[in-house]
């Protein structure tokens, strides 16, 4: 394999108008990373509009060019030095920045925090400092910009440095360097400034190369959140992005939160030359496994010995930017890697004004731009890590209605609790029983089986729903034949066990139906289920949960309505024959 060039991702933050875009434009210009003619174009347009030239405008030109290629986040720009490649993220709006940072879209490894020397430290300089600390970004340079406006004064520079250090050190942010520059005039950007001979350190570009890259996402425990499961000829391909760690063909893996173990059978590939037996962090891959389970988006694949935390209750530091306050008891959506679950705020432990850093006493809600320590409760179990251990799987966003309204990082799991908030013991292992399925089947002289009756929607719905009629009659006939049989009616489920989820959540509806049917089958029961043939994929998943050998699919259409009794006979024959022959 070629030796890949190293890439470092840097975010540029700071108060509005302090020169973030100018600094980036200048870096692109000085490293000759701009598209052909960009400078001339910006000069011409500025002149036509009677406005002064701005380096910040270069970013627009650059973005347009980049969009022609593969779609990348428009605020991410690239340049390189002799040492490595850089992705540099402009954080124009305060809100946009937070959204991107917290959602991981701007997964920066280092930061440049820009302060206007003339205006001094402003509210957003502080807020951004706070966010860097919250996100655990330790590699920070403070760039004191617009030094030309204060006559390149060493004294004023030192004052800013002292003041800002006092604030940041309180937050455990210790900038590695303070660099005085004039981004616009190119002072101290690529070569030492003649106007600031008192500054002994490196100019910006040289300093960037001194950021040390954190080693090894691939050396962390394997985290492979499932994005989707595709059915491809007879294979079920589990697809997703490996967030951290490595995965090899043959590895024993754990699928959480369901606690299922299996082995990696193959790593799939599109073109022959991509064929491989090992994949690692950062790669989007598809795999097949030796045991087929009902896997779905949101589940986590890890190695057995290094599992993620799994809970429905966890502590988090959260940044709120929603229009309405974040309050306890309200339903929100939590997104964490590929998981999406309903959640609520279980407790608000501390609320902090991010610019003054003052604690807001006895706060009952988190207001826009506040930072808070909270405990979050999710409806289902979620898999994650503490942010300090794994940034990719330790951060989340909260969606209020349709808006990403906040985000945060996880500082620890609380004990798993049930819906009432009461801790549940983690013992999930099956008990060794003295009565087995075979014992039950032998006594009752029948085989446990799911008869899954399906057909087009017309056959299911309406008053004369033929599928329902068939199911009812079949149940009666089998009962009269002294079989232990039960028709598990959809309405019974949606009104009972599944009354907490929408009817349209067919995926989960079917999963629950199938899990119950599976228990019935284990009990030796002939279980009749009906479903709308449209949810083919869901039915396929049900078949996996129940097991192919215990699953008899009966497809009917409206024509059966004319002679339901005949169909009942047919199905009974199938079932009875199935009892005698093992190859049903
Ligand atoms: P937002 O994206 O709006 O938050 O602003 P920004 O931080 O990207 O600032 P931008 O780069 O757009 O610069 C704001 C203004 O400051 C522009 O008019 C720049 O020309 C000017 N400016 C930037 N750097 C310098 C500098 O070193 N010296 C002087 N005198 N002006 C500068
Ligand atoms: Mg800007």
């Amino acid at each position: 394999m070629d030796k890949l060039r190293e890439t470092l991702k840097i975010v540029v933050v700071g108060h509005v108008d302090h020169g973030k875009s100018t600094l980036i434009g200048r870096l692109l210009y000085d490293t000759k990373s701009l598209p052909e003619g960009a400078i001339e174009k910006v000069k011409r347009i500025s002149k036509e509009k009677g406005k002064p030239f701005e380096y910040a405008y270069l970013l627009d030109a650059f973005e347009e060019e980049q969009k022609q290629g593969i779609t990348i986040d428009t605020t991410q720009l690239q340049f390189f030095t002799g040492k490595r490649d850089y992705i540099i993220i402009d954080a124009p709006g305060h809100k946009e920045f937070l959204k991107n940072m917290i959602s991981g879209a701007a997964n920066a490894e280092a930061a440049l925090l820009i302060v206007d020397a003339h205006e001094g430290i402003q509210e957003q300089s502080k807020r951004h400092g706070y966010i860097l600390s919250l996100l655990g970004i330790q590699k920070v340079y403070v760039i004191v910009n617009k030094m030309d406006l204060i006559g390149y004064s060493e004294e004023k520079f030192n004052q800013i440095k002292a003041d800002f250090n006092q604030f940041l050190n309180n937050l455990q942010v210790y900038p590695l360097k303070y660099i005085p520059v004039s981004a616009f005039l190119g002072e101290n950007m690529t070569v030492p400034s003649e106007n600031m001979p008192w500054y002994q350190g490196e100019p910006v570009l040289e300093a960037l190369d001194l950021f040390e890259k954190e080693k090894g996402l691939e050396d962390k425990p394997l985290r492979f959140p499932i994005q989707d499961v595709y059915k491809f000829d007879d294979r079920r391909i589990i697809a997703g992005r490996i967030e951290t760690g490595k995965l090899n063909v043959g590895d024993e893996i754990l699928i959480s939160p369901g606690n299922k173990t299996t082995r990696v059978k193959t790593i799939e590939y599109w073109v022959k030359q991509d064929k491989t037996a090992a994949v690692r962090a950062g790669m989007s891959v598809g795999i097949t496994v030796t045991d087929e389970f009902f896997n779905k988006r949101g589940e986590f694949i890890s190695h057995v010995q290094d599992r993620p935390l799994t809970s429905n209750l966890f502590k988090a530091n959260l940044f709120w930017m929603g229009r309405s306050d974040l309050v306890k008891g309200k339903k929100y959506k939590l997104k964490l890697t590929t998981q999406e679950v309903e959640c609520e705020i279980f407790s608000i432990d501390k609320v902090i004004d991010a610019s003054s850093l003052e604690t807001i006493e006895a706060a009952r809600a988190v207001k826009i731009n506040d930072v808070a320590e909270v405990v979050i409760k999710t409806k289902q179990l979620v898999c994650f890590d503490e942010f300090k251990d794994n940034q990719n799987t330790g951060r989340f966003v909260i969606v209020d209605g349709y808006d990403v309204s906040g985000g945060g990082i996880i500082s620890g799991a609380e004990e798993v609790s049930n819906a009432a908030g009461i801790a549940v013991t983690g013992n999930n292992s099956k008990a060794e029983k003295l009565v087995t399925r075979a014992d039950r089947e032998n006594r009752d002289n029948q085989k446990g089986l799911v008869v899954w009756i399906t057909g087009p929607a017309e056959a299911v719905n309406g008053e004369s729903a033929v599928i329902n009629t068939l199911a009812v009659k079949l149940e009666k006939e089998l009962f009269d034949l002294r079989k232990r049989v039960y028709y598990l009616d959809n309405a019974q489920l949606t009104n009972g066990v599944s009354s907490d989820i929408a009817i349209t959540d067919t995926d989960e509806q079917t999963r629950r139906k199938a899990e119950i049917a599976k228990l019935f089958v284990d009990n030796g029961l002939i279980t009749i289920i009906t479903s709308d043939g449209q949810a083919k994929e869901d039915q396929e998943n049900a078949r996996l949960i129940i097991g192919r050998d215990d699953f008899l699919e009966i497809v009917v259409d409206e024509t059966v309505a004319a002679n339901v009794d005949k169909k009942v006979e047919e199905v009974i024959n199938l079932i009875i024959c199935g009892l005698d022959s093992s190859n049903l």
Side-chain angles (χ1 to χ4, degrees), residues 80-223:
F80 59 90
T81 63
K83 177 178 165 127
R84 63 186 163 203
D85 295 341
Y86 288 92
I87 294 175
I88 195 152
I89 305 158
D90 191 11
H94 176 62
K95 204 169 155 176
E96 224 28 56
F97 157 63
L98 286 172
K99 223 190 252 183
N100 286 338
M101 284 301 279
I102 286 173
S103 66
N107 206 345
E109 297 159 90
L112 300 179
L113 179 48
I114 307 225
V115 184
D116 180 326
H118 187 59
E119 268 192 32
I121 301 157
Q122 298 293 316
E123 186 183 303
Q124 270 173 45
S125 325
K126 291 185 179 177
R127 283 191 196 277
H128 286 183
Y130 192 99
I131 299 300
L132 294 179
S133 126
L134 190 79
L135 294 172
I137 298 178
Q138 307 276 353
K139 300 181 174 72
V140 181
Y141 295 159
V142 174
I143 309 291
V144 182
N145 187 31
K146 309 196 191 179
M147 287 298 291
D148 53 303
L149 296 182
I150 57 161
Y152 301 104
S153 160
E154 179 180 13
E155 203 189 328
K156 287 185 183 157
F157 169 79
N158 283 335
Q159 190 59 50
I160 289 175
K161 181 173 170 179
D163 291 347
F164 213 11
N165 256 344
Q166 198 183 4
F167 176 85
L168 292 173
N169 293 356
N170 255 330
L171 299 169
Q172 264 83 52
V173 175
Y174 302 95
L176 300 168
K177 290 178 191 302
Y178 278 77
I179 310 177
V181 309
S182 167
F184 191 84
L185 299 175
E187 300 286 338
N188 249 343
M189 291 298 292
T190 45
V191 289
S193 163
E194 287 177 9
N195 289 311
M196 294 177 271
W198 46 265
Y199 172 73
Q200 300 297 310
E202 303 78 10
V204 174
L205 197 62
E206 232 174 85
L208 290 184
D209 278 349
L210 297 177
F211 273 131
E212 271 177 49
K213 201 174 161 65
E214 197 86 45
K215 290 280 174 286
L217 280 180
E218 56 183 86
D219 295 329
K220 295 190 183 241
L222 171 70
R223 295 293 179 261

Side-chain angles (χ1 to χ4, degrees), residues 61-344:
F62 197 77
E63 279 164 21
E64 239 163 69
E65 199 75 10
Q66 286 197 329
K67 269 188 241 159
Q68 324 252 315
I70 141 177
T71 344
I72 57 167
D73 194 311
T74 49
T75 54
Q76 306 199 358
L77 302 133
Q78 276 169 296
F79 70 94
F80 59 90
T81 63
K83 177 178 165 127
R84 63 186 163 203
D85 295 341
Y86 288 92
I87 294 175
I88 195 152
I89 305 158
D90 191 11
H94 176 62
K95 204 169 155 176
E96 224 28 56
F97 157 63
L98 286 172
K99 223 190 252 183
N100 286 338
M101 284 301 279
I102 286 173
S103 66
N107 206 345
E109 297 159 90
L112 300 179
L113 179 48
I114 307 225
V115 184
D116 180 326
H118 187 59
E119 268 192 32
I121 301 157
Q122 298 293 316
E123 186 183 303
Q124 270 173 45
S125 325
K126 291 185 179 177
R127 283 191 196 277
H128 286 183
Y130 192 99
I131 299 300
L132 294 179
S133 126
L134 190 79
L135 294 172
I137 298 178
Q138 307 276 353
K139 300 181 174 72
V140 181
Y141 295 159
V142 174
I143 309 291
V144 182
N145 187 31
K146 309 196 191 179
M147 287 298 291
D148 53 303
L149 296 182
I150 57 161
Y152 301 104
S153 160
E154 179 180 13
E155 203 189 328
K156 287 185 183 157
F157 169 79
N158 283 335
Q159 190 59 50
I160 289 175
K161 181 173 170 179
D163 291 347
F164 213 11
N165 256 344
Q166 198 183 4
F167 176 85
L168 292 173
N169 293 356
N170 255 330
L171 299 169
Q172 264 83 52
V173 175
Y174 302 95
L176 300 168
K177 290 178 191 302
Y178 278 77
I179 310 177
V181 309
S182 167
F184 191 84
L185 299 175
E187 300 286 338
N188 249 343
M189 291 298 292
T190 45
V191 289
S193 163
E194 287 177 9
N195 289 311
M196 294 177 271
W198 46 265
Y199 172 73
Q200 300 297 310
E202 303 78 10
V204 174
L205 197 62
E206 232 174 85
L208 290 184
D209 278 349
L210 297 177
F211 273 131
E212 271 177 49
K213 201 174 161 65
E214 197 86 45
K215 290 280 174 286
L217 280 180
E218 56 183 86
D219 295 329
K220 295 190 183 241
L222 171 70
R223 295 293 179 261
F224 179 24
I226 299 179
Q227 221 154 55
D228 249 312
V229 181
Y230 299 103
K231 231 181 138 236
F232 213 75
D233 36 68
D234 55 355
R235 292 168 295 166
R236 293 174 64 82
I237 299 178
I238 299 175
R241 199 182 103 100
I242 298 189
E243 294 293 344
T244 54
K246 300 186 233 24
L247 182 66
N248 303 294
V249 169
D251 281 3
E252 190 179 23
I253 54 172
L254 175 76
I255 304 175
S256 302
N259 246 333
K260 292 163 284 194
T261 51
T262 182
R263 272 179 200 283
V264 179
K265 190 153 95 186
T266 61
I267 292 169
E268 299 293 319
Y269 54 92
W270 280 113
V271 280
K272 202 87 189 167
Q273 57 265 41
D274 288 348
K275 187 175 164 140
T276 175
V279 284
R280 60 192 143 70
M283 297 170 87
S284 290
V285 300
I287 64 165
T288 62
V289 294
T290 47
D291 308 273
E292 287 197 343
F293 301 116
F294 172 62
N295 293 119
K296 62 177 182 181
R297 184 180 169 87
E299 290 181 318
F300 259 47
I301 292 176
S302 70
H303 284 122
V304 179
Q305 60 289 8
D306 246 328
R307 56 180 67 201
L309 297 171
T310 297
S311 182
N312 62 353
L313 208 58
F314 58 84
K315 274 204 269 255
N317 289 321
L318 174 142
F319 193 92
W320 191 247
M321 52 207 173
R323 270 168 291 173
S324 359
D325 296 351
L326 178 77
V327 290
K328 268 167 60 172
K330 185 174 166 185
K331 306 274 186 261
Y332 299 98
K333 197 191 309 163
L334 178 117
K335 291 192 188 182
L336 199 166
T337 64
T338 59
Q339 303 169 97
E340 274 192 45
V341 296
E342 190 182 295
C343 75
E344 61 181 277

